Amino acid sequence: MQSIRNIAIIAHVDHGKTTLVDKIIHVSKIFRENQQFDDLILDNNDLERERGITILSKNVSVRYKDTKINIIDTPGHADFGGEVERVLKMADGVILLVDAFEGPMPQTRFVLGKALSLGLTPIVVVNKVDKENCRPDEVHEAVFDLMFNLDATEEQLGFQTLYGSAKQNWMGPDWKNPTDSILPLLDAILEHIPAPKIEEGSLQLQITSLDYSSFVGRIAIGRVKRGSIRENAQLSLCKAEGLIKKVKVKELHVFEGLGKIKAEEVTAGDICAVTGIEDFEIGDTLADLEKPEALPRISIDEPTMNMLFTINNSPFFGKEGKFVTSRHLRDRLMKETEKNLALRVEPTDNEDKFLVYGRGILHLSVLIETMRREGYELQVGQPQVIYKTIDGVRHEPIETLVVDVPETTSGKVIELATQRKGELLVMEPKGDLQHLEFKIPSRGLIGLRNNVLTATQGEAIMNHRFSAYEPFKGAIPGRINGSLISMEGGPCTAYAIDKLQDRGNFFVDPGEELYGGQVIGEHNRDNDIVINVQKGKKLTNMRASGSDDNTRIAPAKKFSLEEAMEYIQKDEYLEITPKNIRMRKIYLDENERNRKAKEHQAV
């Protein structure tokens, strides 16, 4: 029987996790000499490459000294907690990767806490020791303190530490003496990560992930906990609420290198992909036909935020997207819930609208961005946090916010956070930056990033993670400025924008096609105003001397998807199409808007 190690790699966003996996793949000679490949081999979808983050967990296996090492690449962001929680079930140990300057970050804490509570053995890798002003020894102590605070066991606190630079392709026990390869890390995995515990008994395999093939349909992926699974075997599928179905395995595959190879039998401890099983969900258990025993289902942290998703009903509806009806929208959202465990979709009393619950703005924005790239048109409302009533008291989600900022602008950041009910917990120097930690309501974070980046000239580094539900903290001031709204449809003119620049900042460029009711800028004051940006200059046959200078227009302010989601108000929608993101009022007609506003005030 072959020797196996199952490890998950956990790290904060941009600490070099995917680069490290690249180097392990290279050193294990998976590729033929003449084969071409890119960097960041595992971040293979466009969205991951553009954002530089891992969103979906992936499996890869390498062979070293007659041992098969299954490596599971996990997302580093707490918003993808649903991914993290299920894939850690497949591992026996974790490699915790931390940056030699930044040290353990809030997202690291979230994933590491999950790993330690599952009893996984950690190996700590302090990466990027080639950076200037790195502080590997302090970072090592910070990791120890973090594990101690997360209630790690004695064995877990005796972790092995390696230092190195994944980019420069070396790892070793001493950061001052670089080695010449990454092999010391693979040796440490064989020595310190335990082989899978093999339990006696009939088959148990929990489905923790899924894949899809247009040839064979849905593919179940999981780790064989005990027993063995064979091709063409008749098995029981243990579903939620004690339901048991009879199923038949068509084919088995194990992970080899970057792909999968066919196997006749897979024994306990290995990770495999099973085809031929219909109607399964993540968390179901494949078990013995005669005496099925189910494993406990995967528990996922509750969503903390929801958004209204609805069909696009703007005047530009259907111009750019292929999928525009409520049926398309419903089917796509339901399909997403099959594999995105932390996502929930609920219908509303209107068949065109759906409430989508997620773990945070990033979690929801990745879903929206994926859908628009697939050709969907939709509209979303302002993100709302989810309140809970505990013992008759209204509770709201509270997050830990960490900001690293130059000392000169730290006062502005503290002021912005405290305005939104943030409490300053820690303030300490970190290199030439000031390290700030706050406890802040989730709703206080909506729109905060924009303001902080503006106040610090873009130099602040912000991270946050969900902490707990606590009693409601009171009202938080929202956006102070009103909106500039287009009066009618048609292309806007440079002349009109030039004449109206003293009213506020514009989000649109001259010549852009608009419709009535579209939000095209931010007003200087706190009220909304409707403006006509379509009117051109009255032309005469007289040439005026000196007054015919070209218009000088400030550049339009452009928003990313997350920024736009955080910017919109309660009475606004975000219209999302494959080519554009537009802000608009829910009621495009001005009279209708005024009537609804009066009704709202009366209530």
Side-chain angles (χ1 to χ4, degrees):
M1 192 176 135
Q2 64 172 340
S3 175
I4 295 174
R5 299 287 186 277
N6 296 315
I7 56 160
I9 299 192
I10 57 180
H12 182 70
V13 176
D14 205 27
H15 277 196
K17 171 165 41 82
T18 309
T19 307
L20 180 67
V21 177
D22 282 4
K23 300 301 182 196
I24 294 174
I25 290 169
H26 290 300
V27 80
S28 58
K29 304 273 193 303
I30 285 177
F31 295 103
R32 299 188 306 277
E33 294 298 321
N34 61 349
Q35 207 168 342
Q36 292 295 311
F37 51 85
D38 297 322
D39 285 342
L40 305 179
I41 299 161
L42 288 195
D43 277 358
N44 52 10
N45 87 31
D46 292 343
L47 204 51
E48 291 181 316
R49 284 178 171 272
E50 282 167 31
R51 288 169 179 249
I53 58 174
T54 301
I55 296 168
L56 303 167
S57 59
K58 303 168 196 72
N59 297 29
V60 59
S61 89
V62 299
R63 289 194 178 274
Y64 180 64
K65 290 187 178 172
D66 298 327
T67 301
K68 179 179 181 184
I69 303 173
N70 285 316
I71 301 168
I72 306 154
D73 188 17
T74 64
H77 209 286
D79 274 18
F80 306 116
E83 284 283 314
V84 172
E85 283 153 68
R86 61 169 208 235
V87 297
L88 288 178
K89 287 260 188 173
M90 297 197 269
D92 296 299
V94 291
I95 292 179
L96 171 66
L97 191 70
V98 288
D99 185 297
F101 170 67
E102 291 185 350
M105 298 292 274
Q107 310 292 3
T108 321
R109 183 191 181 103
F110 166 80
V111 188
L112 182 63
K114 296 281 176 200
L116 293 176
S117 64
L118 288 168
L120 305 183
T121 308
I123 290 178
V124 174
V125 174
V126 180
N127 192 24
K128 304 190 184 182
V129 297
D130 53 326
K131 267 169 101 170
E132 287 176 34
N133 68 17
C134 68
R135 43 194 195 100
D137 296 330
E138 288 175 47
V139 166
H140 179 257
E141 283 174 30
V143 172
F144 183 87
D145 293 345
L146 173 60
M147 289 208 191
F148 185 78
N149 292 338
L150 290 171
D151 299 329
T153 61
E154 291 275 334
E155 292 79 33
Q156 287 171 330
L157 285 173
F159 55 85
Q160 175 74 8
T161 307
L162 291 167
Y163 302 88
S165 164
K167 201 171 179 184
Q168 294 184 353
N169 203 15
W170 70 271
M171 288 286 154
D174 181 6
W175 64 277
K176 292 173 185 143
N177 298 319
T179 60
D180 57 357
S181 81
I182 210 156
L183 293 177
L185 174 60
L186 296 177
D187 290 325
I189 290 170
L190 298 194
E191 189 181 338
H192 297 284
I193 301 290
K197 290 192 185 81
I198 308 298
E199 295 178 29
E200 293 300 315
S202 60
L203 168 71
Q204 279 186 318
L205 180 153
Q206 187 159 42
I207 298 169
T208 48
S209 193
L210 60 88
D211 204 349
Y212 183 80
S213 151
S214 49
F215 298 109
V216 294
R218 294 167 76 218
I219 303 167
I221 298 172
R223 174 178 155 185
V224 183
K225 182 90 166 41
R226 66 179 201 203
S228 66
I229 182 167
R230 300 183 69 89
E231 229 176 21
N232 300 319
Q234 299 269 0
L235 300 173
S236 298
L237 178 68
C238 307
K239 297 179 69 63
E241 287 144 16
L243 288 172
I244 294 177
K245 278 182 62 182
K246 289 189 167 48
V247 292
K248 184 180 178 187
V249 175
K250 272 192 191 155
E251 286 185 359
L252 283 177
H253 291 85
V254 290
F255 292 88
E256 193 66 53
L258 291 171
K260 303 188 194 92
I261 58 167
K262 206 157 175 263
E264 287 183 9
E265 183 178 20
V266 181
T267 52
D270 207 352
I271 297 169
C272 67
V274 186
T275 61
I277 297 169
E278 293 296 318
D279 193 30
F280 65 83
E281 289 169 7
I282 287 171
D284 292 352
T285 306
L286 282 172
D288 184 62
L289 185 65
E290 304 298 325
K291 287 190 276 184
E293 292 177 45
L295 284 160
R297 294 189 75 79
I298 301 170
S299 63
I300 296 293
D301 285 0
E302 289 288 304
T304 57
M305 202 164 270
N306 69 15
M307 281 178 87
L308 184 74
F309 279 50
T310 177
I311 57 168
N312 185 11
N313 60 0
S314 83
F316 292 169
F317 143 83
K319 282 189 175 178
E320 295 167 12
K322 288 186 291 188
F323 308 112
V324 293
T325 66
S326 57
R327 181 178 60 83
H328 287 137
L329 185 60
R330 181 175 57 247
D331 292 351
R332 178 65 184 83
L333 290 173
M334 291 307 171
K335 187 178 160 199
E336 186 68 24
T337 56
E338 288 181 0
K339 61 176 189 295
N340 196 334
L341 285 198
L343 198 79
R344 283 214 320 265
V345 178
E346 285 181 8
T348 62
D349 50 6
N350 184 328
E351 61 192 26
D352 293 340
K353 296 179 179 173
F354 304 89
L355 269 180
V356 179
Y357 294 79
R359 291 291 292 271
I361 292 232
L362 184 63
H363 185 204
L364 292 165
S365 76
V366 165
L367 166 64
I368 294 167
E369 181 65 39
T370 309
M371 286 174 67
R372 72 183 279 230
R373 288 178 185 215
E374 290 169 4
Y376 285 84
E377 279 192 17
L378 66 151
Q379 294 182 141
V380 295
Q382 187 189 39
Q384 306 287 334
V385 301
I386 299 168
Y387 298 102
K388 281 184 180 177
T389 303
I390 303 170
D391 300 332
V393 180
R394 191 186 191 196
H395 282 57
E396 65 174 331
I398 303 291
E399 310 222 5
T400 303
L401 169 69
V402 177
V403 189
D404 290 330
V405 63
E407 205 169 333
T408 49
T409 48
S410 59
K412 292 178 185 172
V413 175
I414 294 169
E415 187 186 340
L416 284 167
T418 47
Q419 278 173 1
R420 291 163 174 259
K421 307 288 185 206
E423 286 175 47
L424 182 63
L425 304 176
V426 177
M427 182 176 181
E428 59 192 19
K430 181 173 166 185
D432 51 359
L433 298 174
Q434 199 74 15
H435 177 77
L436 309 172
E437 285 186 27
F438 300 91
K439 204 165 82 171
I440 187 168
S442 293
R443 61 200 165 96
L445 287 168
I446 297 175
L448 179 65
R449 185 179 298 271
N450 268 345
N451 297 350
V452 166
L453 289 177
T454 306
T456 61
Q457 287 87 48
E459 291 191 316
I461 302 164
M462 271 178 71
N463 293 288
H464 55 87
R465 67 181 171 83
F466 172 70
S467 169
Y469 269 86
E470 291 186 14
F472 183 68
K473 303 287 183 198
I476 291 177
R479 189 176 99 207
I480 317 160
N481 300 54
S483 301
L484 299 176
I485 304 162
S486 176
M487 184 184 285
E488 51 193 61
C492 55
T493 66
Y495 172 77
I497 290 178
D498 182 43
K499 292 285 178 267
L500 291 163
Q501 278 189 110
D502 57 340
R503 291 305 182 100
N505 302 322
F506 280 87
F507 307 154
V508 292
D509 293 310
E512 219 170 289
E513 280 286 342
L514 309 176
Y515 52 80
Q518 185 177 335
V519 175
I520 55 171
E522 181 176 271
H523 190 200
N524 289 336
R525 300 190 177 170
D526 60 359
N527 60 319
D528 293 348
I529 59 165
V530 179
I531 53 176
N532 183 346
V533 286
Q534 280 80 12
K535 67 171 187 260
K537 185 172 184 194
K538 295 281 181 289
L539 299 177
T540 68
N541 59 0
M542 300 291 285
R543 178 72 53 89
S545 64
S547 65
D548 246 6
D549 288 349
N550 286 337
T551 52
R552 289 194 181 86
I553 299 174
K557 183 177 179 184
K558 297 296 179 190
F559 289 86
S560 71
L561 177 58
E562 277 107 23
E563 286 167 349
M565 284 162 67
E566 291 184 348
Y567 183 81
I568 56 174
Q569 300 278 45
K570 279 193 174 138
D571 63 340
E572 292 168 356
Y573 274 158
L574 201 58
E575 179 193 350
I576 292 148
T577 70
K579 292 181 185 166
N580 286 294
I581 296 173
R582 300 183 190 93
M583 298 179 211
R584 54 159 287 186
K585 289 290 175 186
I586 293 178
Y587 300 103
L588 296 177
D589 180 65
E590 192 179 353
N591 298 329
E592 180 77 354
R593 274 201 303 277
N594 295 338
R595 191 172 64 77
K596 289 286 178 186
K598 280 179 186 159
E599 280 176 19
H600 185 68
Q601 281 169 349
V603 171

